[in-house]
Amino acid sequence: MELGFVGLGKMGRPMTEHLLKAGHRVHVHNRSRGVVDELAAQGAAPASSAAEVASRAEIVMTCLTNVQSVEDVYFGPSGLYSAARAGQLFVDHSTVAMETSRKCADGARAKGGEFLDAPVSGGPAGAAAATLTIMVGGNQAAFDRAMPIFQVLGKNIRLCGPTAAGTAVKLVNQLLVAINTVGVAEGLVFGLKAGADPQTVLEVVGTGFGGSRMLERNAPLAMDRNFKAGTPVSLLLKDLSLIGDLADQMGVKLDIGRCAERIFAAARDAGLGDDDMAGLVRQYEQAAGVEVRR
Amino acid sequence: MELGFVGLGKMGRPMTEHLLKAGHRVHVHNRSRGVVDELAAQGAAPASSAAEVASRAEIVMTCLTNVQSVEDVYFGPSGLYSAARAGQLFVDHSTVAMETSRKCADGARAKGGEFLDAPVSGGPAGAAAATLTIMVGGNQAAFDRAMPIFQVLGKNIRLCGPTAAGTAVKLVNQLLVAINTVGVAEGLVFGLKAGADPQTVLEVVGTGFGGSRMLERNAPLAMDRNFKAGTPVSLLLKDLSLIGDLADQMGVKLDIGRCAERIFAAARDAGLGDDDMAGLVRQYEQAAGVEVRR
């Protein structure tokens, strides 16, 4: 099948590589050119704009970092919808505001095409291993059409409801990721000061009621002092801002979510914005005068 | 073996029943008498005081609700240590302050006996299924001696370090339980308002990075409106108070932990103290005008 992929970053690049390996022809575009050339060497078809991708592909995926880049890629002068044709399917794997997902769906419909919001969870490691969780919003027919592609990229693939429902579920995921990440950071440092070895906390609390995916993910990264990998503080902060705005719009009380947002913001202000979210532990280590290690 | 068990509540009672079924003779005492008679009908030997239990048993377990009841049972005029003999082993499954665990260990040592702090995670359901996680502080010899008993009661059994290390790990567990419980409550209500069905959140976020044992535990209870079972808000609040005191003593910053404590306190003030911690979701439902249901 002729596919397109725009946004070839830490997520989009390994996703595109899986599609190439699965035998699809993939027309690719990215703001910075280097990765396009590298994927072309693996058999991808380079395109000089999002519009060019849309002019060639039947199904186009996007995986972008924020609302503005999604708006640009979909609605910009050389964007996807400038070249969209009836019958095309657009799939956005980015995490954006629900209103952005709705706007993209409306834009596709205006061209006679279809749109699915399909944000993913699992990070670069999940993208590389093709084990992403994919949360989809849209209609059943479009979902069924995209399923063979989703199955190349992920494991737990779910139509969550109509347009923007995938984004809604992803935002809940991000809210819990952020809260649990701060909890793990506090818990590891509190425990260390109290005499609870981090590895023991991981192994024991991890099987108790305090267990979470963030404990399993972040505790080893903290113990290894590996804060380069994966999902940066600044990305979560972007999501927490989307979540806070939506909560305000809906009149939903977010106590611990706001608290997590303040702590992520403090970490960014302390210069940790580009570090993996597991690096949040350093905010607590510094105050307590200890360091989580193996 | 002649065992003793003092504190036959939601946790201690099923634990004692497992010890009886495993063929041990168990001398039992409880502040309220009814459960003593019921366990006597299952073969337990009733005792009229903690001292009487200590006078008859070789290894004595306790499972009590707070620091004060542990102090009373161990150090009171008819308490365990009033009748303790050299060579006895005392095992406290309660969740208390680290200084309480240390005091109990000192008290046992003064009598020529030994003490293990051995708090458990898994709640009444884990106690009934004998799948408790048991976090132990003390010396290796005492741990080895207690192991055949622990194996009757739980699955993940760990010597975490010297005296009070079991309590330290348990407090980390409780901190994460409380934070994740509030996160799940906020996340479910936020999601519901945004169009994310709670069952979908459970199934999708539960396999994504937002997953936690509290999501798996609390979301079904919320959807079933089952807030009678398990671990009440007031019990977590007691643990959060122990955690906060210890953090103050150690100079550890607890941001999101304090936030969780405030929300648990607000739930208690709203009359939810005796409800299961999953009932915290109602605090958010009321504000948002929705209800999490299947």
Side-chain angles (χ1 to χ4, degrees), chain B residues 146-198:
Chain B
M147 186 51 109
I149 294 160
F150 291 152
Q151 284 171 330
V152 173
L153 304 175
K155 283 259 184 279
N156 190 10
I157 301 151
R158 179 69 79 96
L159 183 60
C160 298
T163 292
T167 293
V169 172
K170 175 67 191 280
L171 292 178
V172 174
N173 185 74
Q174 297 307 84
L175 177 61
L176 295 183
V177 162
I179 291 167
N180 295 356
T181 287
V182 178
V184 167
E186 284 194 18
L188 288 174
V189 171
F190 170 85
L192 184 57
K193 281 286 265 194
D197 168 65

Short mmCIF file of all heavy atoms in Angstrom, two decimals, chain B residues 146-198:
data_model
loop_
_atom_site.label_atom_id
_atom_site.label_comp_id
_atom_site.label_asym_id
_atom_site.label_seq_id
_atom_site.Cartn_x
_atom_site.Cartn_y
_atom_site.Cartn_z
N ALA B 146 11.18 -17.13 61.18
CA ALA B 146 9.78 -16.78 60.90
C ALA B 146 9.32 -17.23 59.51
O ALA B 146 8.12 -17.27 59.23
CB ALA B 146 9.58 -15.27 61.04
N MET B 147 10.26 -17.56 58.65
CA MET B 147 9.93 -17.83 57.25
C MET B 147 8.83 -18.87 57.05
O MET B 147 7.91 -18.66 56.24
CB MET B 147 11.20 -18.21 56.48
CG MET B 147 10.98 -18.37 54.99
SD MET B 147 10.13 -16.96 54.21
CE MET B 147 11.48 -16.26 53.26
N PRO B 148 8.86 -20.01 57.78
CA PRO B 148 7.77 -21.00 57.58
C PRO B 148 6.39 -20.42 57.86
O PRO B 148 5.41 -20.81 57.22
CB PRO B 148 8.11 -22.11 58.60
CG PRO B 148 9.57 -21.95 58.89
CD PRO B 148 9.86 -20.48 58.76
N ILE B 149 6.31 -19.46 58.76
CA ILE B 149 5.03 -18.80 59.04
C ILE B 149 4.68 -17.83 57.92
O ILE B 149 3.56 -17.81 57.41
CB ILE B 149 5.10 -18.07 60.39
CG1 ILE B 149 5.24 -19.09 61.51
CG2 ILE B 149 3.87 -17.19 60.60
CD1 ILE B 149 5.79 -18.53 62.78
N PHE B 150 5.68 -17.01 57.52
CA PHE B 150 5.44 -16.06 56.43
C PHE B 150 4.94 -16.78 55.18
O PHE B 150 4.06 -16.28 54.47
CB PHE B 150 6.72 -15.29 56.10
CG PHE B 150 7.18 -14.33 57.16
CD1 PHE B 150 8.53 -14.01 57.30
CD2 PHE B 150 6.27 -13.71 58.03
CE1 PHE B 150 8.96 -13.10 58.26
CE2 PHE B 150 6.70 -12.81 59.00
CZ PHE B 150 8.05 -12.51 59.11
N GLN B 151 5.49 -17.96 54.93
CA GLN B 151 5.11 -18.69 53.71
C GLN B 151 3.66 -19.16 53.74
O GLN B 151 3.07 -19.39 52.69
CB GLN B 151 6.07 -19.86 53.47
CG GLN B 151 7.41 -19.37 52.94
CD GLN B 151 8.47 -20.45 52.87
OE1 GLN B 151 8.47 -21.37 53.68
NE2 GLN B 151 9.40 -20.31 51.92
N VAL B 152 3.11 -19.28 54.94
CA VAL B 152 1.69 -19.63 55.06
C VAL B 152 0.82 -18.41 54.73
O VAL B 152 -0.32 -18.55 54.28
CB VAL B 152 1.38 -20.15 56.48
CG1 VAL B 152 -0.11 -20.35 56.69
CG2 VAL B 152 2.15 -21.44 56.75
N LEU B 153 1.37 -17.21 54.91
CA LEU B 153 0.57 -15.98 54.84
C LEU B 153 0.71 -15.21 53.53
O LEU B 153 -0.18 -14.44 53.16
CB LEU B 153 0.97 -15.05 55.99
CG LEU B 153 0.87 -15.62 57.40
CD1 LEU B 153 1.42 -14.63 58.41
CD2 LEU B 153 -0.57 -16.00 57.73
N GLY B 154 1.85 -15.37 52.86
CA GLY B 154 2.10 -14.49 51.72
C GLY B 154 2.93 -15.11 50.62
O GLY B 154 3.28 -16.29 50.68
N LYS B 155 3.23 -14.28 49.63
CA LYS B 155 3.94 -14.75 48.43
C LYS B 155 5.30 -14.08 48.26
O LYS B 155 6.29 -14.75 48.10
CB LYS B 155 3.09 -14.47 47.18
CG LYS B 155 1.94 -15.43 47.00
CD LYS B 155 2.27 -16.50 45.96
CE LYS B 155 1.09 -17.43 45.69
NZ LYS B 155 0.99 -18.49 46.72
N ASN B 156 5.33 -12.76 48.25
CA ASN B 156 6.59 -12.05 48.07
C ASN B 156 7.09 -11.63 49.45
O ASN B 156 6.61 -10.66 50.02
CB ASN B 156 6.41 -10.84 47.15
CG ASN B 156 7.74 -10.22 46.75
OD1 ASN B 156 8.82 -10.78 47.00
ND2 ASN B 156 7.68 -9.04 46.15
N ILE B 157 8.04 -12.38 49.98
CA ILE B 157 8.50 -12.21 51.36
C ILE B 157 9.95 -11.76 51.31
O ILE B 157 10.78 -12.44 50.70
CB ILE B 157 8.39 -13.55 52.12
CG1 ILE B 157 6.93 -14.03 52.11
CG2 ILE B 157 8.93 -13.42 53.52
CD1 ILE B 157 6.77 -15.53 52.17
N ARG B 158 10.24 -10.61 51.92
CA ARG B 158 11.57 -10.05 51.71
C ARG B 158 12.15 -9.46 53.00
O ARG B 158 11.49 -8.67 53.67
CB ARG B 158 11.47 -8.94 50.67
CG ARG B 158 12.79 -8.25 50.39
CD ARG B 158 13.77 -9.16 49.66
NE ARG B 158 13.43 -9.20 48.26
CZ ARG B 158 14.02 -8.42 47.34
NH1 ARG B 158 15.00 -7.63 47.68
NH2 ARG B 158 13.63 -8.48 46.08
N LEU B 159 13.37 -9.86 53.33
CA LEU B 159 14.12 -9.18 54.39
C LEU B 159 14.69 -7.91 53.77
O LEU B 159 15.58 -7.97 52.92
CB LEU B 159 15.23 -10.08 54.94
CG LEU B 159 16.04 -9.49 56.10
CD1 LEU B 159 15.15 -9.17 57.30
CD2 LEU B 159 17.18 -10.41 56.50
N CYS B 160 14.17 -6.77 54.19
CA CYS B 160 14.51 -5.48 53.56
C CYS B 160 15.72 -4.83 54.18
O CYS B 160 16.27 -3.88 53.61
CB CYS B 160 13.32 -4.53 53.64
SG CYS B 160 11.86 -5.15 52.78
N GLY B 161 16.15 -5.31 55.36
CA GLY B 161 17.27 -4.70 56.07
C GLY B 161 17.09 -4.87 57.56
O GLY B 161 16.25 -5.67 58.00
N PRO B 162 17.84 -4.12 58.36
CA PRO B 162 17.75 -4.25 59.81
C PRO B 162 16.42 -3.72 60.35
O PRO B 162 15.56 -3.29 59.58
CB PRO B 162 18.93 -3.40 60.31
CG PRO B 162 19.18 -2.42 59.22
CD PRO B 162 18.83 -3.13 57.93
N THR B 163 16.26 -3.76 61.65
CA THR B 163 15.03 -3.30 62.31
C THR B 163 14.49 -2.02 61.69
O THR B 163 15.25 -1.07 61.47
CB THR B 163 15.30 -3.06 63.81
OG1 THR B 163 15.56 -4.34 64.42
CG2 THR B 163 14.10 -2.42 64.51
N ALA B 164 13.22 -2.02 61.40
CA ALA B 164 12.46 -0.89 60.85
C ALA B 164 12.58 -0.74 59.34
O ALA B 164 11.87 0.07 58.74
CB ALA B 164 12.79 0.44 61.53
N ALA B 165 13.43 -1.54 58.70
CA ALA B 165 13.55 -1.46 57.23
C ALA B 165 12.28 -1.98 56.55
O ALA B 165 11.89 -1.48 55.48
CB ALA B 165 14.77 -2.24 56.74
N GLY B 166 11.62 -2.96 57.15
CA GLY B 166 10.34 -3.43 56.61
C GLY B 166 9.31 -2.32 56.67
O GLY B 166 8.56 -2.07 55.72
N THR B 167 9.29 -1.62 57.81
CA THR B 167 8.38 -0.49 57.97
C THR B 167 8.69 0.61 56.96
O THR B 167 7.78 1.21 56.37
CB THR B 167 8.46 0.04 59.42
OG1 THR B 167 7.94 -0.98 60.29
CG2 THR B 167 7.68 1.32 59.60
N ALA B 168 9.98 0.88 56.72
CA ALA B 168 10.37 1.92 55.76
C ALA B 168 9.83 1.58 54.37
O ALA B 168 9.24 2.44 53.69
CB ALA B 168 11.89 2.06 55.71
N VAL B 169 10.01 0.34 53.93
CA VAL B 169 9.53 -0.06 52.60
C VAL B 169 8.00 0.01 52.55
O VAL B 169 7.42 0.48 51.56
CB VAL B 169 10.05 -1.47 52.23
CG1 VAL B 169 9.40 -1.97 50.94
CG2 VAL B 169 11.57 -1.45 52.07
N LYS B 170 7.34 -0.40 53.64
CA LYS B 170 5.88 -0.33 53.67
C LYS B 170 5.40 1.12 53.56
O LYS B 170 4.40 1.40 52.89
CB LYS B 170 5.34 -0.98 54.94
CG LYS B 170 3.82 -0.86 55.15
CD LYS B 170 3.02 -1.64 54.12
CE LYS B 170 1.54 -1.33 54.13
NZ LYS B 170 0.75 -1.97 55.15
N LEU B 171 6.09 2.03 54.22
CA LEU B 171 5.68 3.45 54.14
C LEU B 171 5.83 3.98 52.71
O LEU B 171 4.99 4.74 52.24
CB LEU B 171 6.45 4.29 55.16
CG LEU B 171 6.12 4.00 56.64
CD1 LEU B 171 6.97 4.87 57.57
CD2 LEU B 171 4.64 4.18 56.96
N VAL B 172 6.90 3.56 52.01
CA VAL B 172 7.03 3.94 50.60
C VAL B 172 5.84 3.39 49.81
O VAL B 172 5.23 4.08 48.99
CB VAL B 172 8.35 3.43 49.99
CG1 VAL B 172 8.40 3.71 48.49
CG2 VAL B 172 9.55 4.06 50.68
N ASN B 173 5.50 2.13 50.08
CA ASN B 173 4.35 1.52 49.41
C ASN B 173 3.08 2.33 49.66
O ASN B 173 2.33 2.65 48.73
CB ASN B 173 4.17 0.08 49.92
CG ASN B 173 3.08 -0.67 49.18
OD1 ASN B 173 3.25 -1.08 48.05
ND2 ASN B 173 1.92 -0.82 49.82
N GLN B 174 2.85 2.70 50.90
CA GLN B 174 1.62 3.43 51.23
C GLN B 174 1.61 4.81 50.59
O GLN B 174 0.55 5.30 50.15
CB GLN B 174 1.47 3.57 52.76
CG GLN B 174 1.31 2.25 53.49
CD GLN B 174 0.20 1.38 52.95
OE1 GLN B 174 0.41 0.64 51.99
NE2 GLN B 174 -0.96 1.47 53.54
N LEU B 175 2.77 5.45 50.55
CA LEU B 175 2.87 6.76 49.88
C LEU B 175 2.45 6.63 48.42
O LEU B 175 1.64 7.43 47.92
CB LEU B 175 4.32 7.26 49.99
CG LEU B 175 4.65 8.58 49.29
CD1 LEU B 175 3.83 9.74 49.86
CD2 LEU B 175 6.16 8.89 49.42
N LEU B 176 2.94 5.58 47.75
CA LEU B 176 2.59 5.40 46.33
C LEU B 176 1.14 4.96 46.17
O LEU B 176 0.46 5.38 45.23
CB LEU B 176 3.57 4.42 45.68
CG LEU B 176 5.01 4.92 45.62
CD1 LEU B 176 5.91 3.92 44.90
CD2 LEU B 176 5.11 6.28 44.95
N VAL B 177 0.65 4.14 47.09
CA VAL B 177 -0.76 3.75 47.05
C VAL B 177 -1.65 4.99 47.13
O VAL B 177 -2.60 5.16 46.34
CB VAL B 177 -1.10 2.78 48.21
CG1 VAL B 177 -2.61 2.71 48.46
CG2 VAL B 177 -0.54 1.40 47.92
N ALA B 178 -1.33 5.89 48.05
CA ALA B 178 -2.15 7.08 48.25
C ALA B 178 -2.09 7.99 47.02
O ALA B 178 -3.12 8.46 46.52
CB ALA B 178 -1.69 7.83 49.50
N ILE B 179 -0.89 8.25 46.53
CA ILE B 179 -0.71 9.13 45.36
C ILE B 179 -1.42 8.53 44.15
O ILE B 179 -2.17 9.22 43.45
CB ILE B 179 0.79 9.34 45.07
CG1 ILE B 179 1.43 10.18 46.19
CG2 ILE B 179 1.01 9.98 43.71
CD1 ILE B 179 2.95 10.19 46.18
N ASN B 180 -1.22 7.23 43.92
CA ASN B 180 -1.82 6.60 42.75
C ASN B 180 -3.34 6.52 42.88
O ASN B 180 -4.05 6.61 41.87
CB ASN B 180 -1.22 5.21 42.52
CG ASN B 180 0.27 5.26 42.17
OD1 ASN B 180 0.85 6.34 42.04
ND2 ASN B 180 0.90 4.11 42.06
N THR B 181 -3.83 6.37 44.10
CA THR B 181 -5.28 6.33 44.32
C THR B 181 -5.91 7.68 43.97
O THR B 181 -6.95 7.73 43.29
CB THR B 181 -5.58 5.96 45.78
OG1 THR B 181 -5.31 4.56 45.94
CG2 THR B 181 -7.04 6.22 46.14
N VAL B 182 -5.30 8.76 44.39
CA VAL B 182 -5.82 10.08 44.04
C VAL B 182 -5.71 10.30 42.54
O VAL B 182 -6.65 10.79 41.89
CB VAL B 182 -5.09 11.20 44.81
CG1 VAL B 182 -5.62 12.56 44.39
CG2 VAL B 182 -5.25 11.02 46.31
N GLY B 183 -4.58 9.89 41.96
CA GLY B 183 -4.40 10.02 40.51
C GLY B 183 -5.47 9.29 39.73
O GLY B 183 -6.06 9.84 38.79
N VAL B 184 -5.78 8.07 40.14
CA VAL B 184 -6.80 7.28 39.45
C VAL B 184 -8.17 7.96 39.58
O VAL B 184 -8.93 8.04 38.60
CB VAL B 184 -6.84 5.84 40.00
CG1 VAL B 184 -8.08 5.10 39.54
CG2 VAL B 184 -5.57 5.08 39.58
N ALA B 185 -8.47 8.48 40.77
CA ALA B 185 -9.77 9.16 40.97
C ALA B 185 -9.88 10.37 40.04
O ALA B 185 -10.89 10.55 39.35
CB ALA B 185 -9.91 9.58 42.44
N GLU B 186 -8.83 11.18 40.01
CA GLU B 186 -8.84 12.36 39.13
C GLU B 186 -8.90 11.95 37.66
O GLU B 186 -9.64 12.53 36.87
CB GLU B 186 -7.59 13.22 39.36
CG GLU B 186 -7.65 14.03 40.62
CD GLU B 186 -6.58 15.12 40.70
OE1 GLU B 186 -5.99 15.48 39.67
OE2 GLU B 186 -6.36 15.61 41.81
N GLY B 187 -8.10 10.95 37.31
CA GLY B 187 -8.01 10.51 35.93
C GLY B 187 -9.32 9.94 35.41
O GLY B 187 -9.72 10.21 34.27
N LEU B 188 -10.01 9.16 36.24
CA LEU B 188 -11.28 8.57 35.80
C LEU B 188 -12.33 9.65 35.55
O LEU B 188 -13.06 9.59 34.56
CB LEU B 188 -11.79 7.57 36.84
CG LEU B 188 -11.04 6.24 36.95
CD1 LEU B 188 -11.57 5.42 38.12
CD2 LEU B 188 -11.14 5.44 35.65
N VAL B 189 -12.39 10.63 36.44
CA VAL B 189 -13.41 11.68 36.30
C VAL B 189 -13.05 12.63 35.16
O VAL B 189 -13.91 12.99 34.34
CB VAL B 189 -13.60 12.44 37.63
CG1 VAL B 189 -14.48 13.66 37.45
CG2 VAL B 189 -14.19 11.50 38.68
N PHE B 190 -11.79 13.00 35.07
CA PHE B 190 -11.32 13.82 33.94
C PHE B 190 -11.63 13.12 32.62
O PHE B 190 -12.18 13.72 31.69
CB PHE B 190 -9.81 14.07 34.08
CG PHE B 190 -9.17 14.70 32.88
CD1 PHE B 190 -9.18 16.08 32.71
CD2 PHE B 190 -8.56 13.91 31.90
CE1 PHE B 190 -8.59 16.66 31.60
CE2 PHE B 190 -7.97 14.49 30.79
CZ PHE B 190 -7.99 15.86 30.64
N GLY B 191 -11.32 11.84 32.55
CA GLY B 191 -11.56 11.07 31.33
C GLY B 191 -13.03 10.99 30.99
O GLY B 191 -13.43 11.19 29.83
N LEU B 192 -13.83 10.69 32.01
CA LEU B 192 -15.28 10.55 31.78
C LEU B 192 -15.86 11.83 31.18
O LEU B 192 -16.63 11.79 30.20
CB LEU B 192 -15.96 10.21 33.11
CG LEU B 192 -17.45 9.94 33.08
CD1 LEU B 192 -17.77 8.80 32.12
CD2 LEU B 192 -17.96 9.60 34.48
N LYS B 193 -15.47 12.97 31.76
CA LYS B 193 -15.96 14.25 31.24
C LYS B 193 -15.47 14.50 29.80
O LYS B 193 -16.16 15.14 29.00
CB LYS B 193 -15.49 15.40 32.13
CG LYS B 193 -16.28 15.58 33.39
CD LYS B 193 -17.67 16.20 33.16
CE LYS B 193 -17.63 17.70 33.35
NZ LYS B 193 -19.00 18.27 33.45
N ALA B 194 -14.28 13.99 29.49
CA ALA B 194 -13.70 14.22 28.17
C ALA B 194 -14.19 13.21 27.13
O ALA B 194 -13.85 13.33 25.95
CB ALA B 194 -12.17 14.18 28.26
N GLY B 195 -14.95 12.20 27.58
CA GLY B 195 -15.46 11.20 26.63
C GLY B 195 -14.69 9.90 26.63
O GLY B 195 -14.84 9.10 25.70
N ALA B 196 -13.86 9.68 27.65
CA ALA B 196 -13.12 8.41 27.76
C ALA B 196 -13.85 7.52 28.75
O ALA B 196 -13.85 7.78 29.95
CB ALA B 196 -11.68 8.66 28.21
N ASP B 197 -14.45 6.48 28.23
CA ASP B 197 -15.19 5.51 29.03
C ASP B 197 -14.28 4.86 30.08
O ASP B 197 -13.17 4.44 29.76
CB ASP B 197 -15.73 4.47 28.03
CG ASP B 197 -16.26 3.25 28.70
OD1 ASP B 197 -17.26 3.39 29.42
OD2 ASP B 197 -15.67 2.16 28.51
N PRO B 198 -14.73 4.77 31.36
CA PRO B 198 -13.86 4.23 32.42
C PRO B 198 -13.33 2.82 32.12
O PRO B 198 -12.17 2.53 32.40
CB PRO B 198 -14.77 4.21 33.65
CG PRO B 198 -15.83 5.21 33.38
CD PRO B 198 -16.03 5.23 31.90
#
